Amino acid sequence: MRRIRIPIGRGGKGRLSARILANQLVILALTGLIGFVLFAFAQRDEIDRAYEKRALAIAQTTAAEPQIRHAMQYGGGGDVVQRVAERIRKASSASYVVVLDLRGVRHSHPDPALIGVATGDPIVVLDGKSHVGTDPGGLGRSANGKAPLYGPSGKLVGEVSAGITEHHVLGELWRELPTFGLYSAIAVALGSAAAFLLARRLKRTTFGLELEEIAGLLQDREAMLHGIREGVVAFDPDGRITVVNDEARNLLGVGTALGSTLEEVLPDGRLRRALDGTLAGSDISVLTDDHCLVVNRMPVALHGRELGAVVTVRDRTELIGLLRELDSVRGLTDALRAQQHEFTNRMHTVAGLLDIGDHDAAYEFAVESAGADQALTESVRERIGNALLVGLIVAKTTVAAERGVRMVLSDDSALGEDPPHLRRLLTIVGNLLDNAIDAAAGGPPPAGGREVRLSLIEAVDQVMVRVADSGPGIPPDATESIFEDGWSTRPDRGTARRGLGLALVHRLAQRHGGTIMVSEGPGAVFTVVLPLTDAAPAPRDARFTTASPTGGDRG
C-alpha cells in the first residue's frame, strides 16, 4: 500500500526556535535577577539577625564582668567601667559597648565626652530580660543587643548596650554576594541550555514550521475538511481518531468520535475492518444501512516517522444504483437483440411459407409464435397482480432463456395488485433472480437442465420470497460471509460491482424486521420473509438466521 509522505517547507528556518530561545532567556534573566535581589534581601535579614545575636552576646559578656558589676553597685573604682568596657569592645570588634545605670546615665562610651550624660531613652531591661533590635544611635544604624546588669548582690543596677554598626553588616553581605551571583549565573546557564534544547525539540515537533505557518495550516485544514464532499478520518499511531469531518460523521454515523478507537464507535463488521486496515486494497466497497461507500486507507509517514493513517470515505449509493440499472439495461438490450434475431428468423420462415403458397401453414406458424410470448405474460399475470413485478419477472425470464436457463414461477405464488413492501420486493426479487440465473448458467448443466424457480406468496401477516436454482450452491466455508458486501465468487460483470446483491437483500430484511435463510445444497434456496407491518429496524450489528448453506456462486 502506498504511503502518504508529507513535504515540509523550510522557509524561515530557525525563526521559531530563535524566538523561543530569546524569550526563554529573557524570562530566565529576569527571574534570576529577581531571585538574586530577593536572596540578597533575605541574606541581609539573616546577617542582621546574626549580628544582633552577636551584639547581645557582647552585652551579656560585659554584664557578667565582675569589676563592672561591683563598680556599678557600690561605686568607686574610678574609670574601671570605661576601661573594661573598651577592652571588651576592642576585643570583640564591636562599634560600641555602653554601660548605663537605671537612670540612663552612661558610665562607658567610645566617645569619652558622653560619659556621665543621660541617653534620654528608657531602660528596656527593667523586665529582667535581654533585648535585640536595630538602633539608629549616634554612631549610625547598628545591630544592637541589650542585657540586664546585676550587682554582686543580685540586684538590677543597670543595662549594658552593645552594637555593631551597619557598615560591618554590609561588608559581610558584599563578601557573600559574589558567591550568590555565581550560583545565579550557573542557574541561568543551565536554564539557557535547557531552553535551547527545548527550542530544538519544539522545532522538530513542529516539523520546522513557524507559528504563522502552523496557524495557516490549521485554517486551511478546517476549511478543507469541512468543505469537501468526501468523508475524511485520521488515526494516530495508536489507532485513535484524531480528525473526523462532518461528511464522515454523516456517512459512518460515528458522532463525536475524537480520541476514540474504532472498537468504541463501530460494531464489528466489514465497515470497521475497512477503516482499520484489516481489509487490504483500494476502493473497498462497503454497504451500510443507508449508503454504499467506497473506502480507501493510506498510512502516513513524515521523515521516516509513522504518524498513523488517513481514510477517505466516498458515498457511491446513487452511482452504484445507476451502474446496476445500466448493467440490467444492457442485459435486457442483449435479450432484445437476441429476440430480434429470433423474430427475424420467424419472419423469414413466414415469408418462405408465403412464397411457396402455403398460406395456412404460414398463418398457423405466426399465431403460434405470437401466442408463446403472450402465454408467458398471461401465466405470470394470473399469479402476480402488480404490473411492475410482472414486467420484472418476464424480463428476467427472457434474460434467463437467452443464457440457457429456464425460469419457473411456482404454482403456489400469489401476490395482489398493491402488495406491501413493493419497492423492497422489486430489489429483493431482482437481486435474488440475478444471482440465481448466474449460478444456474455458470456451472455444468444438471440432469434436469438449468432452472431457476421463483415463489412469491402474500399471506395474512407476511410476504415470502423464495428463489431456488440448479447451481452448485454456496461454498461450505462461506456460511458467515455470504451476506457481507463485497463477497462474491465471480469477477465484476460489466459496470456493476459484484458482492452487493445479497448484501442489499440482507440489509432490506434487517432494517424492516424480516428474516433471510439459505437452505442446504446442492443448489441454493434463498427465503426472505417480510412482515406486513414494519417492525422496528434491527440493530446495526444484528445477525440473521442462515441454515447450513453449501455450494454455488453468489454476489
Side-chain angles (χ1 to χ4, degrees):
M1 180 181 295
R2 184 172 63 86
R3 297 178 184 272
I4 299 176
R5 299 194 178 274
I6 304 176
I8 296 296
R10 289 294 178 180
K13 181 178 180 181
R15 287 185 296 164
L16 177 60
S17 58
R19 279 187 286 176
I20 293 174
L21 181 60
N23 290 333
Q24 289 177 328
L25 288 178
V26 170
I27 294 172
L28 284 172
L30 289 176
T31 54
L33 178 61
I34 294 173
F36 179 78
V37 172
L38 293 177
F39 189 75
F41 277 106
Q43 190 65 18
R44 166 68 182 272
D45 291 339
E46 184 67 23
I47 294 175
D48 282 342
R49 302 290 85 78
Y51 272 79
E52 288 172 357
K53 292 180 181 179
R54 180 180 171 186
L56 179 60
I58 295 171
Q60 290 173 338
T61 300
T62 304
E65 181 62 36
Q67 294 177 353
I68 293 178
R69 293 176 63 191
H70 186 276
M72 289 299 295
Q73 183 171 3
Y74 301 113
D79 60 351
V80 63
V81 175
Q82 171 70 0
R83 286 188 291 103
V84 174
E86 282 297 295
R87 176 171 53 82
I88 293 175
R89 182 185 68 81
K90 293 176 180 180
S92 62
S93 299
S95 299
Y96 61 86
V97 176
V98 179
V99 179
L100 308 170
D101 59 22
L102 295 180
R103 294 175 298 166
V105 176
R106 300 183 182 96
H107 290 261
S108 71
H109 196 278
D111 184 1
L114 296 178
I115 296 175
V117 178
T119 62
D121 296 328
I123 302 298
V124 299
V125 297
L126 293 177
D127 57 0
K129 298 179 180 179
S130 299
H131 295 267
V132 295
T134 302
D135 183 13
L139 299 176
R141 188 175 184 273
S142 61
N144 179 259
K146 296 179 179 181
L149 176 61
Y150 295 94
S153 65
K155 178 184 177 181
L156 181 66
V157 295
E159 174 186 276
V160 178
S161 176
I164 303 173
T165 54
E166 181 76 13
H167 71 273
H168 289 88
V169 178
L170 292 178
E172 182 69 21
L173 178 62
W174 282 110
R175 283 191 295 273
E176 293 188 10
L177 283 182
T179 304
F180 303 154
L182 176 62
Y183 292 156
S184 298
I186 293 175
V188 171
L190 292 176
S192 300
F196 178 73
L197 295 176
L198 177 61
R200 291 189 60 186
R201 179 178 177 84
L202 289 176
K203 191 72 173 178
R204 290 196 303 269
T205 303
T206 58
F207 302 107
L209 293 175
E210 303 300 330
L211 295 177
E212 295 79 4
E213 293 174 326
I214 294 174
L217 283 177
L218 178 60
Q219 295 174 351
D220 293 343
R221 191 199 75 162
E222 291 301 310
M224 178 191 69
L225 288 178
H226 298 289
I228 61 177
R229 294 294 303 274
E230 290 189 0
V232 178
V233 184
F235 300 91
D236 64 14
D238 296 327
R240 294 193 172 275
I241 298 174
T242 56
V243 173
V244 54
N245 68 350
D246 298 336
E247 187 68 10
R249 289 191 178 98
N250 178 52
L251 295 177
L252 303 177
V254 295
T256 303
L258 294 179
S260 304
T261 62
L262 286 174
E263 290 77 6
E264 296 170 347
V265 297
L266 288 176
D268 186 24
R270 181 176 173 83
L271 177 59
R272 195 171 87 184
R273 294 197 297 273
L275 294 175
D276 65 17
T278 302
L279 296 179
S282 60
D283 291 339
I284 300 173
S285 296
V286 178
L287 194 67
T288 67
D289 289 343
D290 302 306
H291 306 282
C292 182
L293 307 177
V294 176
V295 178
N296 282 285
R297 177 187 172 99
M298 288 193 178
V300 180
L302 179 62
H303 299 163
R305 187 172 68 187
E306 298 295 332
L307 301 181
V310 174
V311 176
T312 58
V313 182
R314 289 171 288 168
D315 186 6
R316 291 294 181 266
T317 306
E318 295 183 1
L319 178 61
I320 293 297
L322 291 174
L323 291 177
R324 293 181 68 84
E325 290 182 11
L326 176 60
D327 193 66
S328 298
V329 169
R330 286 182 175 176
L332 290 175
T333 302
D334 292 339
L336 290 174
R337 186 178 295 111
Q339 286 184 337
Q340 177 187 2
H341 293 162
E342 178 66 20
F343 180 77
T344 301
N345 292 332
R346 292 178 182 178
M347 290 299 99
H348 289 164
T349 302
V350 171
L353 291 174
L354 292 176
D355 285 341
I356 63 177
D358 195 346
H359 299 86
D360 292 338
Y363 175 78
E364 292 176 1
F365 181 77
V367 171
E368 179 182 354
S369 299
D373 294 336
Q374 186 65 29
L376 171 62
T377 302
E378 291 301 325
S379 66
V380 175
R381 282 186 178 276
E382 289 177 1
R383 299 174 178 84
I384 308 299
N386 183 266
L388 293 176
L389 281 169
V390 171
L392 176 65
I393 294 171
V394 171
K396 296 298 183 183
T397 301
T398 303
V399 172
E402 295 302 324
R403 301 185 63 185
V405 177
R406 179 167 57 94
M407 201 176 86
V408 178
L409 182 64
S410 64
D411 294 337
D412 60 350
S413 295
L415 202 66
E417 293 183 4
D418 187 20
H421 307 291
L422 175 60
R423 295 185 61 183
R424 298 162 200 159
L425 285 176
L426 289 169
T427 301
I428 291 171
V429 172
N431 281 288
L432 290 180
L433 287 179
D434 283 342
N435 287 338
I437 293 170
D438 284 346
R450 298 184 175 93
E451 181 180 274
V452 172
R453 182 172 293 272
L454 169 66
S455 295
L456 273 172
I457 301 174
E458 181 180 355
V460 176
D461 57 350
Q462 65 184 23
V463 176
M464 188 269 291
V465 180
R466 179 179 291 116
V467 176
D469 63 70
S470 60
I474 303 297
D477 59 348
T479 303
E480 298 297 328
S481 56
I482 58 173
F483 294 115
E484 284 192 4
D485 41 314
W487 183 91
S488 180
T489 59
R490 305 183 69 183
D492 292 347
R493 180 186 62 203
T495 57
R497 297 293 298 270
R498 285 192 175 271
L500 296 179
L502 289 180
L504 286 170
V505 173
H506 179 268
R507 294 280 176 170
L508 285 173
Q510 178 185 25
R511 293 185 63 184
H512 300 287
T515 60
I516 179 170
M517 294 188 301
V518 183
S519 70
E520 296 182 353
V525 180
F526 286 83
T527 303
V528 179
V529 177
L530 297 175
L532 293 188
T533 303
D534 278 357
R540 293 170 62 91
D541 56 349
R543 304 294 296 176
F544 283 78
T545 307
T546 23
S548 307
T550 57
D553 292 330
R554 288 294 183 272

